[in-house]
Amino acid sequence: MRTIIWFIYFWLYLLLLLPTMKKAQRLKADGDQEALDRLLEQKVPTWANSLMKLAGVKVHVEGRENIPDQPVIFVSNHQGYFDIPVLLTVLDKPHPLVSKESIRKIPFIRQWMELLGCVFIDRDNPRQAVSALNDAVKALKEKKHSFIIFPEGTRSRGGEVGEFKSGGFRVALKNKAPIVPVVIEGTYKAMEANHMLIHPADVTVQILPPVYTDHLTPEEGKKIGDIVREQVVQAKNRLQTV
């Protein structure tokens, strides 16, 4: 029953936000980025928080003080669908994501993600993927937008952290932007562990100290994905033993 209520609420809330979405689209068309950002910073976390509250997802956050006061790339492991609403609420503000192209097929979600400045990657189209990542590089540099990436590319459902793909790291390296590793533990318990039925879950998010890229040699830059993954794996293991 909780799952049915949650999905009804999910779509009903988005329908009720239609006038706000239209207002946001007008602000974007007018080039009023400051007003658009204020609107998104108000509405997006409110929506995401309400989804987690209804699902019974309780989040404990550690390490917000590690977020630098500049555009960064947040690099997170990916356990489940609730990772996205969690990260839209627990960081310093909601940030655009580097997301898979198939998300564009979901009505309303697509429009809000476009307003937020998300970048969509088609994994089966290398040319489009490169173009999308270049868009992220440009947004990071010109609009001063941070980005959230899930470099595993798929949900681990609570298993081992997968290999980190290199695409998102190139955005950080091209901009010499800091990489902020983020560790999520427990989101898979809200859906994936229950055959996609929603259950209450306790989630821990740990924001690790930034990895600065402006001094890296080309050789070090090639290994940055492995370095960050190892930090995430070690922190995740520590959380599991607490």
Side-chain angles (χ1 to χ4, degrees):
M1 182 60 70
R2 180 189 292 267
T3 303
I4 295 172
I5 293 172
W6 189 90
F7 276 102
I8 291 173
Y9 178 85
F10 178 95
W11 291 108
L12 182 59
Y13 200 112
L14 288 175
L15 286 171
L16 292 174
L17 278 177
L18 272 175
T20 305
M21 186 181 76
K22 296 297 183 183
K23 178 181 178 180
Q25 289 172 331
R26 287 195 298 271
L27 291 172
K28 182 177 180 179
D30 292 340
D32 194 343
Q33 189 65 46
E34 186 175 338
L36 175 60
D37 287 343
R38 285 198 304 268
L39 181 63
L40 293 172
E41 287 171 25
Q42 176 188 8
K43 296 298 183 180
V44 172
T46 300
W47 173 68
N49 263 319
S50 69
L51 293 176
M52 291 191 295
K53 184 176 180 179
L54 185 60
V57 174
K58 298 179 180 179
V59 185
H60 174 68
V61 188
E62 304 171 3
R64 280 199 184 99
E65 69 278 4
N66 289 323
I67 302 176
D69 187 22
Q70 66 183 105
V72 304
I73 298 294
F74 293 98
V75 174
S76 175
N77 63 312
H78 195 12
Q79 290 195 334
Y81 284 123
F82 271 88
D83 292 343
I84 293 174
V86 165
L87 292 187
L88 288 176
T89 59
V90 303
L91 301 177
D92 51 335
K93 60 182 179 180
H95 294 289
L97 301 97
V98 176
S99 179
K100 56 186 179 181
E101 180 71 21
S102 59
I103 299 296
R104 270 188 165 162
K105 298 177 182 178
I106 305 175
F108 303 135
I109 295 295
R110 178 186 71 249
Q111 287 90 338
W112 279 105
M113 290 184 71
E114 289 172 347
L115 287 166
L116 194 59
C118 296
V119 169
F120 300 92
I121 292 180
D122 184 352
R123 298 172 188 156
D124 297 325
N125 186 337
R127 182 174 295 180
Q128 186 278 340
V130 170
S131 176
L133 289 172
N134 286 337
D135 289 341
V137 170
K138 185 176 180 181
L140 192 70
K141 182 177 181 180
E142 296 181 359
K143 297 182 180 180
K144 307 299 183 185
H145 280 172
S146 296
F147 275 87
I148 300 168
I149 67 170
F150 298 106
E152 291 169 276
T154 188
R155 293 164 290 137
S156 68
R157 296 173 171 83
E160 293 184 4
V161 177
E163 178 186 353
F164 278 10
K165 297 175 176 59
S166 63
F169 293 98
R170 290 200 294 270
V171 178
L173 293 171
K174 286 186 176 181
N175 284 281
K176 299 186 183 300
I179 295 168
V180 178
V182 179
V183 185
I184 296 176
E185 177 57 34
T187 48
Y188 71 97
K189 297 176 183 177
M191 283 187 76
E192 283 77 4
N194 313 302
H195 305 288
M196 302 308 288
L197 297 176
I198 294 175
H199 283 230
D202 290 325
V203 175
T204 299
V205 177
Q206 191 171 81
I207 303 167
L208 304 181
V211 177
Y212 289 94
T213 63
D214 53 353
H215 64 283
L216 296 180
T217 66
E219 191 61 31
E220 289 170 332
K222 293 178 182 178
K223 299 177 181 178
I224 191 64
D226 293 334
I227 293 171
V228 173
R229 180 185 178 277
E230 184 60 28
Q231 292 184 6
V232 170
V233 168
Q234 290 181 8
K236 178 176 177 290
N237 291 341
R238 288 194 296 268
L239 288 176
Q240 290 178 324
T241 58
V242 173

